[in-house]
Amino acid sequence: MRKSLTLIAAGLCLAGAPALAQTAPPPPAPHPAYSGRVITLAEAKSVVAAAEAVARKNGWSMVITVVESNGAVVLSEKMDGAQYGSEEVALKKARTAANFRRPTSEFQNAVKAGTLNAIFTGAMAIEGGELLLVDGKIVGAIGVSGGSAPEDGIVARAAAATLR
């Protein structure tokens, strides 16, 4: 009798296992893939020029950094009057976007929502880092710093849009 109850209990546990597996949440949407090529210097110059134009139009002094998809710096520009600390921040924003294949604003939003610890190793959780895409594939990233997070994001998104 005892063996029968044990077998029945084991059978019920196994029978419930597939139902649990079916209730798992769907995987997150895939982020853009790497293209196999990196942003060229000419492309980086056009992206930085677009970023600078938006910043100047709004009276913002910023640091603008473009990296390859592996995080290597292609071009960095410090506008007159930009704060010195923004150089490192712009670089970290660009590398975060490239390394994690998503805009830094996604990390910022996750911190605000309480779904990500603010001290997430290796990522800048603040707006201003955007992927640079050509034909929907990652060729690099841009990081902008010097204004508020929303201002940095405005400039980075406008610049990134020049390549798409």
Side-chain angles (χ1 to χ4, degrees):
M1 177 80 168
R2 188 176 185 127
K3 263 188 185 179
S4 296
L5 289 176
T6 303
L7 289 173
I8 291 170
L12 290 174
C13 287
L14 291 174
L20 292 175
Q22 293 173 358
T23 61
H31 289 280
Y34 295 108
S35 68
R37 81 165 184 89
V38 295
I39 190 167
T40 65
L41 179 59
E43 289 169 328
K45 285 180 179 180
S46 70
V47 167
V48 169
E52 183 180 354
V54 172
R56 285 196 190 287
K57 176 182 166 193
N58 289 288
W60 303 327
S61 294
M62 303 191 151
V63 175
I64 305 153
T65 302
V66 172
V67 298
E68 295 178 347
S69 53
N70 65 4
V73 175
V74 177
L75 184 62
S76 188
E77 174 182 283
K78 178 185 171 292
M79 295 173 64
D80 294 340
Q83 56 199 10
Y84 299 119
S86 289
E87 291 179 57
E88 187 174 344
V89 174
L91 176 59
K92 286 182 177 181
K93 287 179 181 183
R95 284 187 171 155
T96 294
N99 291 336
F100 291 96
R101 297 190 298 180
R102 67 197 74 208
T104 56
S105 60
E106 287 190 23
F107 292 105
Q108 177 179 300
N109 294 338
V111 170
K112 284 181 181 178
T115 59
L116 180 70
N117 187 322
I119 307 171
F120 180 67
T121 303
M124 287 292 289
I126 191 162
E127 197 171 350
E130 293 287 330
L131 293 172
L132 298 175
L133 306 173
V134 173
D135 297 327
K137 302 286 186 180
I138 301 168
V139 296
I142 184 171
V144 177
S145 179
S148 66
E151 292 168 350
D152 293 351
I154 289 167
V155 172
R157 282 187 298 279
T162 64
L163 284 183
R164 296 181 185 170

